[in-house]
Amino acid sequence: MSIQYYEKERIFALNTPHTTYLCGIAAQEGFLGHLYYGKRLEGISGAPELFRLEESPFTPENNDRDRVSFFDAFPFEYSSHGVGDFRESSIKIRDEGGHSTVSPVYESHEIRRGKEKLPGLPATFAKEDEAATLVINLRDPATGLKMELSYSVFENVDAITRSVRVVNETKAPLYLEKVMSCCVDMEDQGFDILTLHGSWARERHMERKSLGHGKFGVSTVRGESSHQEHPFLALLAKNADQNGGEVYGFHFVYSGNFLAQAERGQFSHVRVVMGICPEEFCWKLEPGEAFQAPEVVLTYSGEGLGGMTRNLHDLYRNHLIRSPWLHKKRPILINNWEATYFDFNEEKIISIARKSAKLGIEMLVLDDGWFGNRFDDNRSLGDWYVNTEKIRGGMGHLAEEINKLGMKFGLWFEPEMISPESELYRQHPDWAIAVPGRRPGRGRNQLVLDISRREVRDHVLKMVFDVLHSANIEYVKWDMNRPLTDLGSAALPADRQGELCHRYVLGLYEMQERLLQEFPNLLLENCSGGGGRFDPGMLYFSPQIWCSDDTDAIERLMIQEGTSLLYPLSCMGAHVSVCPNHVVGRSTPFATRGMAALAGTFGYELDVTKLSEEDKKMTSFQIAAYHAFNNLIREGDYYRNASYLENHLYDCFQAVEKGGAKSLVFYTQVIGQPARHSRRIRLMGLKAEADYKICTVNLDREELLTDTGRVMNGDLLMQAGMNVERLWGDFQAKLLYLEEVRA
Ligand code: GLA
């Protein structure tokens, strides 16, 4: 079993194929402390030594004078509140007397096979023989509060997950004001910290900086994981790069408010905490009630960022995404949003479908504007019935017409929203999230529905289900276009208003779960004004998420680099759109746009009836490339060779078939090179002993592959590199295909 308890040493060892995580019970008081996380260990003898701290005597009970300095230095697995550890606490309560101290000590533990579900929450899963779980029960002796720490260890991936369940075993109600899902106290190695930042149309740009003293955290209180911050952080040894060096990744499986923070304290320690953001959170627990906190994924890589990336990709593909579509080639879609916005009718949609079908596009997705009185974005969210002025024959008929063309049909919804100008609002004004006496702020002229309420969820889902049952709809795009503000629920009592944001997320998860139960084969794509809710929580429900409203091929290099740092390419919604691009106004070659979209789920978001003959032809070449290579892109290993975000000149990454026999190299020359020379790029993930033939994948002409006649050894390609020819002009893409030459 991958989890072992060493009774004499009172130490728990959690082993994945290449990593070990050690924690143990220390001192006569039984504090649970962290000992080690890193490369897999062959033995643990003497590990308790590591608890000895120079800064203070390790005798808190016998020497009360030093108790506080002990608390402020000990490497806690779950930090206390208010008793002398002045670093970030993991938990905070308010009891009947108004007091908030908690000091957890070890009580018991249990080791189980497999991994249990987290009630109401998305989480990684594993079969009995694929994971083991350690539950350590901690208790605060003074109040009786119980904290169950869960650690699940995967047999085949270098990842560990942690979560916490808090049980009110005290005699009175209490308020949980803060509950982190994990706390890891590490030795400082002079770390850098890596996080992902952005805004609408500029999501998940990587940012790396030195971790100084004090706290550095990213968080959101927007009610969704957000465009601005990402529920992730990594600590990197200074020398860590794509190929080498130590990297610790922490990723939160949650879609709402979060805090991800690293703190470098007065001694050589770094504390990482991750959990629901304490701001806007307060949960009442009656005696006997429990609160389940969401899960954090931890991964250690001794092989740099690339190792972290591939650990997470494998974990998510094998142990998080549940969709029957996960390992399937997704239908190439065309979405009408950028083609028509709100200005369409049935004829227009069918004419787009007709042209698309001829080009080999496999599914038409009807975006915003098909329902209620939705002629613009000022109205009708919540009125999920067909607008028969636009779709005259009804949805069933439209789907039939599309199906007759040999295409699937998909539909857009935004179920969590309500327009003040809607039937739904007229009937149920109290269903919008709002504070009595305060006019709630509008975002895109809409309000957020209080889906913490069962009756609201039931009502909206019924409308959505009725539409989905009325037609052959095989795909749904579930959108969410504004953050939560003016937090107030008409259904919650005063002392439970602090529960709204988390109840909202639980409501969202429940709605998507019911949708998938009703339509098990549905291809669900999540979306939030582009990529405002791209997180592991949503991936549990949908195998793909719309990456960004910015479809410009160059902006996408940075957005998709940050996204693919954590998520498999098969998750990233990516489409070819028209130029000048609707968000940045840039014009890029059709082939470059095609390559950017091929690195994701692939599809089109433009009016094909207006495409030039040349672009139409190129569409079919891109489609041929998709069919030829999507298996490799979807299932392969991802390697990052060069970053445009870093060098401001060019971008390069690879998809490599597991085992290394085949690889695609995606190269974009963003800025034309002034001098006449080629560029040398070191490839990765190939077999050192094998020779590879190098072909060009043509995205702009009929012949799919052109053999360059070059054959090169894998080790040479990885150590010395490959020359990439100079391309003519800015924004030029080159897709190469390498295949092992077998004798
Ligand atoms: C959001 C989405 C877009 C589109 C519009 C429709 O912005 O990200 O793709 O669906 O909403 O209103």
Side-chain angles (χ1 to χ4, degrees), residues 378-452:
N378 290 324
R379 64 203 84 249
S380 290
L381 292 170
D383 297 343
W384 300 111
Y385 45 83
V386 180
N387 178 324
T388 44
E389 252 181 79
K390 290 191 192 183
I391 313 292
R392 250 172 265 142
M395 207 52 90
H397 177 252
L398 178 59
E400 268 168 35
E401 291 300 308
I402 308 270
N403 290 163
K404 271 192 221 157
L405 297 167
M407 295 175 86
K408 295 180 187 299
F409 179 61
L411 201 57
W412 178 98
F413 288 91
E414 197 178 355
E416 299 156 67
M417 295 293 146
I418 181 165
S419 305
E421 185 60 54
S422 66
E423 275 308 307
L424 189 68
Y425 190 79
R426 277 186 279 279
Q427 283 162 17
H428 301 283
D430 67 313
W431 282 10
I433 289 178
V435 175
R438 183 184 297 278
R439 182 182 182 272
R442 306 291 200 263
R444 212 189 183 203
N445 306 310
Q446 63 200 53
L447 302 174
V448 184
L449 268 177
D450 182 2
I451 55 166
S452 73

Side-chain angles (χ1 to χ4, degrees), residues 223-240:
E224 57 172 344
S225 47
S226 88
H227 299 88
Q228 288 74 12
E229 306 294 348
H230 197 71
F232 160 80
L233 69 80
L235 294 179
L236 283 62
K238 280 274 179 293
N239 67 348

Side-chain angles (χ1 to χ4, degrees), residues 200 203 227 335 337-338 341-342 367-369 371 374 377 381 412-414 444 446 477 479-481 527-532 546-550 575 605:
W200 173 76
E203 295 89 341
H227 299 88
N335 179 305
W337 178 241
E338 286 196 23
Y341 295 103
F342 293 104
D367 210 280
D368 193 354
F371 52 92
R374 186 84 165 168
D377 61 9
L381 292 170
W412 178 98
F413 288 91
E414 197 178 355
R444 212 189 183 203
Q446 63 200 53
K477 177 174 170 188
D479 207 344
M480 193 279 194
N481 276 314
C527 171
S528 174
W546 183 226
C547 204
S548 177
D549 278 345
D550 197 334
H575 301 162
E605 186 140 348

Side-chain angles (χ1 to χ4, degrees), residues 240-505:
D241 58 15
Q242 281 297 328
N243 272 322
E246 294 196 299
V247 177
Y248 296 88
F250 299 82
H251 206 185
F252 198 27
V253 188
Y254 189 61
S255 311
N257 296 340
F258 71 86
L259 170 69
Q261 182 182 281
E263 173 182 8
R264 193 161 167 223
Q266 57 175 327
F267 307 119
S268 302
H269 306 304
V270 173
R271 171 170 292 172
V272 176
V273 294
M274 191 171 261
I276 294 177
C277 188
E279 202 180 326
E280 308 297 0
F281 175 81
C282 179
W283 196 275
K284 185 177 184 186
L285 277 182
E286 296 287 353
E289 279 182 356
F291 181 85
Q292 176 63 58
E295 163 173 296
V296 174
V297 171
L298 287 76
T299 183
Y300 165 83
S301 152
E303 293 171 7
L305 279 173
M308 177 192 79
T309 293
R310 289 182 290 280
N311 287 347
L312 291 176
H313 287 196
D314 284 344
L315 182 74
Y316 296 160
R317 277 186 296 210
N318 297 314
H319 299 285
L320 179 67
I321 304 171
R322 301 172 299 167
S323 171
W325 285 94
L326 170 63
H327 295 296
K328 288 191 190 146
K329 202 148 44 111
R330 320 280 158 78
I332 300 168
L333 69 80
I334 180 138
N335 179 305
N336 74 306
W337 178 241
E338 286 196 23
T340 66
Y341 295 103
F342 293 104
D343 184 18
F344 63 83
N345 57 25
E346 193 174 27
E347 289 73 46
K348 176 74 198 167
I349 296 302
I350 291 173
S351 74
I352 291 179
R354 207 171 284 131
K355 274 271 176 324
S356 305
K358 285 207 182 109
L359 296 174
I361 295 174
E362 299 162 318
M363 177 163 75
L364 183 129
V365 174
L366 181 57
D367 210 280
D368 193 354
W370 57 264
F371 52 92
N373 207 12
R374 186 84 165 168
F375 291 94
D376 55 39
D377 61 9
N378 290 324
R379 64 203 84 249
S380 290
L381 292 170
D383 297 343
W384 300 111
Y385 45 83
V386 180
N387 178 324
T388 44
E389 252 181 79
K390 290 191 192 183
I391 313 292
R392 250 172 265 142
M395 207 52 90
H397 177 252
L398 178 59
E400 268 168 35
E401 291 300 308
I402 308 270
N403 290 163
K404 271 192 221 157
L405 297 167
M407 295 175 86
K408 295 180 187 299
F409 179 61
L411 201 57
W412 178 98
F413 288 91
E414 197 178 355
E416 299 156 67
M417 295 293 146
I418 181 165
S419 305
E421 185 60 54
S422 66
E423 275 308 307
L424 189 68
Y425 190 79
R426 277 186 279 279
Q427 283 162 17
H428 301 283
D430 67 313
W431 282 10
I433 289 178
V435 175
R438 183 184 297 278
R439 182 182 182 272
R442 306 291 200 263
R444 212 189 183 203
N445 306 310
Q446 63 200 53
L447 302 174
V448 184
L449 268 177
D450 182 2
I451 55 166
S452 73
R453 295 168 67 171
R454 173 89 204 191
E455 67 273 28
V456 176
R457 298 197 296 273
D458 288 352
H459 188 93
V460 173
L461 276 184
K462 177 162 188 326
M463 285 188 280
V464 171
F465 286 6
D466 283 350
V467 176
L468 294 180
H469 280 302
S470 75
N472 186 20
I473 298 169
E474 298 179 73
Y475 159 109
V476 162
K477 177 174 170 188
W478 180 303
D479 207 344
M480 193 279 194
N481 276 314
R482 66 152 287 177
L484 275 59
T485 61
D486 303 280
L487 298 173
S489 166
L492 289 172
D495 64 349
R496 288 192 181 272
Q497 289 292 339
E499 299 177 13
L500 176 58
C501 285
H502 183 59
R503 285 186 183 276
Y504 180 92
V505 178

Side-chain angles (χ1 to χ4, degrees), residues 42-107:
E42 299 298 329
I44 62 105
S45 311
E49 277 280 305
L50 297 170
F51 280 138
R52 191 174 297 144
L53 298 166
E54 300 283 319
E55 294 81 17
S56 61
F58 187 37
T59 52
E61 196 73 331
N62 302 333
N63 185 355
D64 226 17
R65 185 171 57 85
D66 285 321
R67 188 184 173 91
V68 167
S69 53
F70 165 80
F71 269 118
D72 207 25
F74 185 77
F76 285 103
E77 271 301 279
Y78 203 63
S79 54
S80 57
H81 185 90
V83 293
D85 182 349
F86 297 104
R87 297 164 292 174
E88 190 73 29
S89 60
S90 299
I91 184 162
K92 187 178 175 203
I93 60 163
R94 186 158 38 87
D95 65 17
E96 269 205 318
H99 305 114
S100 62
T101 48
V102 183
S103 183
V105 295
Y106 170 87
E107 188 175 73

Side-chain angles (χ1 to χ4, degrees), residues 191-220:
F191 285 122
D192 280 350
I193 184 165
L194 177 72
T195 49
L196 300 174
H197 296 265
S199 64
W200 173 76
R202 187 170 47 80
E203 295 89 341
R204 291 174 295 286
H205 281 214
M206 291 166 62
E207 197 171 294
R208 177 176 180 168
K209 53 179 158 268
S210 184
L211 181 68
H213 282 105
K215 296 176 180 178
F216 179 78
V218 288
S219 65
T220 187

